[in-house]
């Protein structure tokens, strides 16, 4: 495969970009903690009641914290090897928490993620989905996603997903390279992964495949080959993540900072991923997401963890689940044991909370626009916040413009081709100082 040159990198001045985005020294480039989860103000002692108010919700996230193995790169809250009695217990807790959803609620998005929801036996997954459906229905065009991994998907799971009309299924493949699969401790092989995709594509659901680039030992050629082999099956979309590592990922201790200090390598990876996806017929719709050009319905989205940038109507249930209700974020107890104890004793399952300040809302506005690869409408910004964008972010904006990472066109601000390749670092440039300091403090030391 001839990989040279990658057009979007022609003439790019890496030094100037490095100066403009001030990359963190001790981290893979993708911010492993995403704002405002990386803010220091998540507190267990918020004044007032942490109990979540009764509120109308529009989106629901359910965290199923079980997996068949622990991938060495993964920082999600999960348990491997749980006994069936523990799984039943946890599902009962989720169902108790779902009592907060008022009967008759109509939702635009439901997302059952984890962990691996299909690591539950099919009958328990069925019970969980039934209990959601008893309380809430889906609006027309709404998305109901369930995540799965290739080896966990049995015929019974498929029939549960089919019978409930789940219309989006996301499968973690991550890589088809058998050596890397072993290295990262995923317990499925290439054949199982391709087969799971084939079987899923026989359902009526929109199928998304997760991939990761940047593993140690992974070459551009092997990533492109994986993408092509999967694309031949024609999943509706790919999500391609750059490997993100933080202090909770075991891989960091051994292979760790494979991108450290190598802005050029990161940008090249992303350029290669974009090009390979495009050549396979997939268009980039958000930073990590590539949708097949034949897909006309564009509403099959992953629910972001935070509902917009200000007033939220999103409820999260399960350990470590995040809710965004009104102007407050709520984080459920992160340890599974703590979560179960709280839920079973009728205590509040929320462990900490965070009030979105004006500064947080401004940063989230940038995250929801530029950070997702969408245009940032400057006059909307001004009418929402009462100041021009320049007033709030002038020096940052100038720096990024001089480095050619953002472009103005009429009333909008856009990422340039090079800006797209460092979208996370551009976004981090808009973080409040307190969040950058928090991030630097929480980067693992070697
Ligand atoms: C909850 S998992 C999906 C379902 C299932 N547990 C699985 O892995 O097959 C969500 C996806 O997030 C991605 N992911 C998890 N940890 C990551 C990390 N440290 N860096 C990049 N992507 C990661 C992986 O692509 C993973 O498949
Ligand atoms: S990536 Fe998926 S399967 Fe692997 S440990 Fe994380 S949640 Fe479990």
């Amino acid at each position: 495969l001839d990989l040279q040159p990658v057009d979007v990198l022609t003439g790019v001045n890496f030094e100037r970009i490095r100066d403009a985005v001030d990359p963190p020294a001790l981290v893979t480039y993708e911010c492993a903690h995403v704002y405002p989860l990386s803010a220091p103000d998540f507190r267990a002692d918020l004044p007032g009641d942490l109990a979540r108010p009764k509120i109308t919700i529009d989106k629901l996230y359910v965290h199923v914290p079980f997996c068949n193995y622990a991938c060495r790169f993964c920082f999600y809250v999960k348990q491997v090897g749980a006994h069936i009695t523990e799984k039943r217990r946890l599902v009962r807790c989720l169902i108790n928490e779902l009592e907060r959803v008022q009967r008759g609620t109509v939702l635009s998005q439901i997302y059952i993620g984890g962990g691996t929801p299909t690591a539950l036996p099919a009958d328990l997954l069925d019970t969980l989905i039934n209990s959601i459906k008893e309380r809430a229905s889906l609006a027309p065009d709404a998305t109901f996603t369930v995540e799965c991994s290739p080896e966990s998907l049995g015929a019974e799971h498929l029939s549960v997903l089919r019978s409930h009309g789940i219309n989006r299924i996301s499968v973690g493949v991550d890589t088809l390279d058998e050596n890397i699969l072993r290295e990262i401790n995923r317990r499925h092989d290439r054949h199982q992964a391709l087969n799971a995709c084939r079987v899923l594509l026989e359902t009526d659901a929109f199928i998304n495949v997760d991939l990761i680039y940047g593993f140690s030992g992974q070459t551009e050629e092997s990533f492109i080959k994986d993408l092509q082999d999967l694309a031949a099956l024609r999943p509706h979309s790919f999500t391609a993540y750059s490997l993100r590592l933080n202090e909770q990922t075991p891989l960091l201790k051994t292979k760790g900072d494979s991108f450290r200090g190598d802005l050029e390598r990161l940008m090249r990876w992303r350029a290669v991923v974009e090009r390979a996806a495009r050549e396979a017929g997939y268009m980039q719709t958000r930073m990590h997401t590539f949708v097949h050009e034949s897909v006309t319905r564009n509403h099959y989205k992953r629910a972001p963890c935070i509902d917009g940038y200000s007033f939220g109507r999103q409820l999260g249930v399960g350990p470590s689940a995040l809710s965004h209700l009104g102007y407050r974020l709520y984080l459920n107890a992160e340890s599974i044991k703590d979560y179960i104890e709280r839920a079973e004793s009728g205590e509040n399952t929320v462990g900490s909370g965070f009030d979105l300040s004006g500064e947080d809302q401004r940063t989230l506005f940038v995250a929801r626009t530029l950070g997702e690869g969408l245009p940032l409408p400057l006059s909307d910004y001004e009418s929402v916040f009462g100041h021009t964008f320049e007033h709030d972010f002038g020096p940052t904006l100038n720096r990024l413009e001089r480095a050619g990472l953002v472009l103005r066109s009429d009333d909008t601000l856009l990422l340039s081709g090079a800006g797209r390749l460092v979208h996370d670092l551009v976004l981090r440039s808009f973080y409040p100082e307190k969040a950058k300091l928090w991030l630097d403090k929480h980067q693992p030391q070697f």
Side-chain angles (χ1 to χ4, degrees), residues 30 32 61 63-64 66-69 71-76 78 111 113-118 146-152 170-175 186 188 209-213 215 239-246 249 251 302:
E30 179 109 12
Y61 172 75
H63 190 81
V64 177
F66 300 114
C67 288
N68 294 336
Y69 40 79
C71 302
R72 299 183 64 231
F73 56 81
C74 179
F75 42 69
Y76 292 113
K78 77 266 169 186
Y111 197 101
T116 309
T118 44
V146 175
E147 287 184 335
C148 67
S149 62
E151 82 301 328
S152 64
S170 184
V171 55
V173 168
D174 298 334
T175 175
R186 279 186 78 89
H188 57 77
V209 176
D210 284 337
L211 289 174
I212 299 181
Y213 54 91
F215 288 121
T239 321
Y241 296 110
S242 42
L243 182 63
R244 287 168 291 167
L245 302 175
N246 69 14
T249 49
L251 198 59
R302 186 195 201 293

Side-chain angles (χ1 to χ4, degrees), residues 84-352:
I84 178 66
T85 51
E86 289 173 82
K87 293 184 176 178
R88 285 208 189 98
R89 219 173 139 191
L90 194 281
V91 169
R92 269 198 303 274
C93 293
L94 296 177
I95 292 173
N96 281 347
E97 255 202 300
L98 284 167
E99 284 295 337
R100 293 175 194 273
V101 181
Q102 292 174 28
R103 281 171 198 267
T105 298
V106 180
L107 297 172
S108 71
Q109 295 195 45
I110 302 177
Y111 197 101
I112 308 186
T116 309
T118 44
L120 289 175
D123 62 324
L124 264 185
L125 183 62
D126 186 47
T127 306
L128 177 61
I129 299 176
N130 273 328
S131 114
I132 295 172
K133 287 178 131 185
E134 274 168 25
R135 289 164 179 80
S137 60
L138 281 175
D141 278 356
T143 306
F144 193 151
T145 301
V146 175
E147 287 184 335
C148 67
S149 62
E151 82 301 328
S152 64
L153 195 67
E156 290 176 352
H157 290 100
L158 272 167
S159 111
V160 168
L161 299 177
R162 269 205 175 97
S163 71
H164 286 290
I166 301 304
N167 60 17
R168 184 174 179 277
I169 304 173
S170 184
V171 55
V173 168
D174 298 334
T175 175
L176 293 174
D177 182 315
E178 306 264 4
N179 289 329
I180 301 175
L181 283 168
R182 263 194 301 280
E183 175 83 33
I184 59 180
N185 196 39
R186 279 186 78 89
R187 308 277 173 85
H188 57 77
D189 59 20
R190 172 192 160 77
H191 173 74
Q192 270 172 312
L194 288 168
N195 217 28
C197 294
R198 252 181 232 112
V199 171
L200 285 170
L201 283 159
E202 284 165 14
T203 68
D204 292 332
F206 180 104
I207 306 301
N208 175 68
V209 176
D210 284 337
L211 289 174
I212 299 181
Y213 54 91
F215 288 121
S216 166
Q218 187 182 30
T219 61
E220 291 174 7
E221 287 87 341
S222 79
F223 180 89
I224 294 170
K225 171 102 175 47
D226 290 354
L227 189 105
Q228 288 173 342
D229 289 351
L230 287 157
L233 306 176
R234 207 47 114 65
H236 302 85
S237 69
F238 285 104
T239 321
Y241 296 110
S242 42
L243 182 63
R244 287 168 291 167
L245 302 175
N246 69 14
E247 69 281 5
Q248 286 152 31
T249 49
L251 198 59
L252 190 70
K253 299 204 176 74
T254 46
K255 301 285 178 193
D257 51 342
S258 56
F259 283 151
R260 181 160 71 163
D262 201 345
L263 188 72
E264 211 168 320
R265 186 170 157 217
L266 175 83
M267 291 179 74
R268 185 175 164 91
W269 254 123
R270 290 184 172 164
V272 165
V273 170
E274 269 186 26
R275 192 175 72 176
R278 193 170 53 244
E279 287 177 355
Y282 288 80
M283 297 173 308
Q284 189 168 22
T285 53
R286 286 169 64 192
M287 290 296 87
H288 303 292
T289 312
F290 300 85
V291 177
H292 194 267
E293 57 201 13
S294 67
V295 174
T296 48
R297 295 171 58 149
N298 65 4
H299 58 267
Y300 288 114
K301 294 181 192 138
R302 186 195 201 293
C305 312
I306 296 162
D307 191 10
Y309 62 87
S310 56
F311 192 90
R313 297 174 196 281
Q314 175 154 315
L315 177 70
V317 305
S320 77
L322 188 74
S323 300
H324 177 184
L325 298 170
Y327 291 94
R328 185 172 276 189
L329 303 183
Y330 300 86
L331 188 62
N332 270 4
E334 292 187 270
S335 115
I336 299 174
K337 185 167 168 285
D338 190 16
Y339 168 80
I340 290 184
E341 277 170 13
R342 283 166 181 256
E344 286 185 343
S345 61
E347 256 183 77
N348 188 3
T349 49
V350 175
S352 57

